[in-house]
Amino acid sequence: MKKIINDPSTVVEESLKGMALAHQDLIAVQFDPTVVVRADAPVPGKVAVISGGGAGHEPLHGGFVGRGMLDAACPGHVFTSPTPDQVQAAVRRTDAGAGALLVVKNYTGDVLNFETAAELAAADGVEVRTVVIDDDVAVTDSLYTAGRRGVGGTLLLEKVVGAAAERGVDLDGCEALARRVVGRVRSMGLALAAGTVPHAGEPGFTLAEDEIELGIGIHGEPGRRRVKIGTADEMVRSLLDPILEDMPLADGDRVLLFTNGMGGTPLIELYLAHGIAERLLAERGIVVERRLVGPFVTSLEMQGMSLTVLELDDELLDLWDAPVHTAALRWGV
């Protein structure tokens, strides 16, 4: 194992300290319990949008804390859910009297711990709503979830709801919007090679030189099947076809297409894949109105990619275009 670390037990804390120094105009990081918050939190009168999950998926979630997106993020240890006290601390640090919306990826530990935190926050007198995202069409159940996993669609949900909260939409409105996004977004990914969790010291799984894992999750969970590697056209189609089977889109429908790298895939390959996905969508008459390409929801240094498709309407398009200023996403500011 070759990694730029000192000690596997301190890698998350040391990384967050470096992140806080690099982006001190945008965020603050507190420890014990560990929470990443907006530098200007709490924002008066604003619904707090909070998310989190295991480290190793950077820039998700801490990289999306800032104006127009998240008010706070709770990072757990690598591929490990944050604890309820972290989430409770995030609610306390961002509470401005308008309530909090928790965005939770559908992994069993995340769901349980965020639900516990919501109960604790309610006992503190804060109104809290929880929305679970489950956009991965690859599997029904896995070792980590009951039902579908939350993956690349999480970023799109955080951006859209974060923009609404920034505009002053109330908690009911933010929750309704979040649930609408969950119903309109689908994802699927593949791996060419696994990442290595620092404290494990070896890859999460092994593939032969001519194999890929189709339908992986962001922790390297098994996918739908292991298959022989094909051309880029074939691999992109193997991701896009199941997405479109699960969310039938009609000629003229508008979408946002997010081509995501899993941490070890160069941009030259991601852009190549994105171009193929756009062509395949155009052949079906589907209009790609917005795009995002890059390693935004990663799995350490896993080689691979995922595609996420969000069906757009005028409101979602407007909220996507709204100003955002975070460490990892920024436009319109």
Side-chain angles (χ1 to χ4, degrees):
M1 180 180 73
K2 293 181 180 179
K3 289 185 178 290
I4 303 172
I5 62 175
N6 291 314
D7 183 331
S9 67
T10 61
V11 63
V12 175
E13 179 179 349
E14 290 186 77
S15 177
L16 288 169
K17 287 178 178 177
M19 183 183 181
L21 289 171
H23 303 290
Q24 54 195 283
D25 58 325
L26 300 176
I27 63 169
V29 179
Q30 73 167 49
F31 296 95
D32 195 27
T34 304
V35 179
V36 181
V37 297
R38 283 177 60 157
D40 58 350
V43 180
K46 178 185 176 300
V47 171
V49 182
I50 299 168
S51 192
H57 307 305
E58 289 75 16
L60 192 78
H61 295 272
F64 303 133
V65 172
R67 177 184 169 191
M69 212 158 173
L70 295 178
D71 292 87
C74 308
H77 295 297
V78 175
F79 292 179
T80 303
S81 302
T83 57
D85 65 316
Q86 287 179 261
V87 183
Q88 185 184 25
V91 173
R92 286 174 172 167
R93 282 289 302 269
T94 58
D95 177 32
L101 181 72
L102 308 183
V103 176
V104 187
K105 301 188 301 302
N106 191 35
Y107 290 90
T108 301
D110 287 17
V111 172
L112 291 174
N113 289 347
F114 273 84
E115 285 179 349
T116 300
E119 294 172 1
L120 294 171
D124 286 341
V126 181
E127 188 174 6
V128 177
R129 309 283 175 80
T130 301
V131 174
V132 177
I133 182 161
D134 56 354
D135 54 306
D136 186 6
V137 304
V139 294
T140 301
D141 294 286
S142 77
L143 298 174
Y144 294 80
T145 62
R148 293 180 170 183
R149 304 173 290 216
V151 287
T154 310
L155 180 161
L156 309 187
L157 173 57
E158 291 173 354
K159 170 63 182 78
V160 167
V161 176
E166 197 73 41
R167 289 180 176 178
V169 175
D170 65 14
L171 186 57
D172 286 340
C174 286
E175 180 187 16
L177 176 66
R179 297 194 186 283
R180 186 149 62 90
V181 172
V182 169
R184 298 167 74 104
V185 66
R186 300 290 187 273
S187 301
M188 188 161 168
L190 62 80
L192 287 75
T196 298
V197 176
H199 65 260
E202 59 185 28
F205 57 88
T206 56
L207 293 169
E209 284 298 314
D210 62 347
E211 287 182 327
I212 64 171
E213 186 80 27
L214 184 62
I216 46 89
I218 56 174
H219 305 94
E221 311 94 309
R224 284 189 173 187
R225 61 188 182 274
R226 190 164 291 189
V227 299
K228 298 295 184 183
I229 190 169
T231 64
D233 278 356
E234 291 167 340
M235 286 189 280
V236 171
R237 191 181 295 275
S238 71
L239 298 181
L240 193 57
D241 284 352
I243 290 173
L244 298 179
E245 288 167 7
D246 200 82
M247 57 178 303
L249 294 169
D251 187 10
D253 283 345
R254 301 177 295 163
V255 301
L256 185 158
L257 174 62
F258 171 30
T259 303
N260 176 61
M262 304 303 293
T265 305
L267 276 170
I268 189 172
E269 296 176 25
L270 292 180
Y271 282 125
L272 186 156
H274 182 85
I276 295 168
E278 286 225 21
R279 171 172 55 80
L280 293 174
L281 288 168
E283 289 173 358
R284 295 174 179 245
I286 299 166
V287 180
V288 179
E289 289 217 340
R290 293 295 183 271
R291 299 110 171 133
L292 184 67
V293 182
F296 291 103
V297 182
T298 65
S299 183
L300 296 170
E301 78 279 26
M302 179 189 285
Q303 287 181 266
M305 61 170 289
S306 64
L307 295 178
T308 298
V309 178
L310 170 65
E311 184 181 1
L312 292 171
D313 57 26
D314 289 343
E315 181 184 18
L316 295 181
L317 183 63
D318 182 51
L319 290 168
W320 178 259
D321 287 346
V324 60
H325 192 190
T326 70
L329 277 188
R330 60 181 70 189
W331 58 71
V333 178

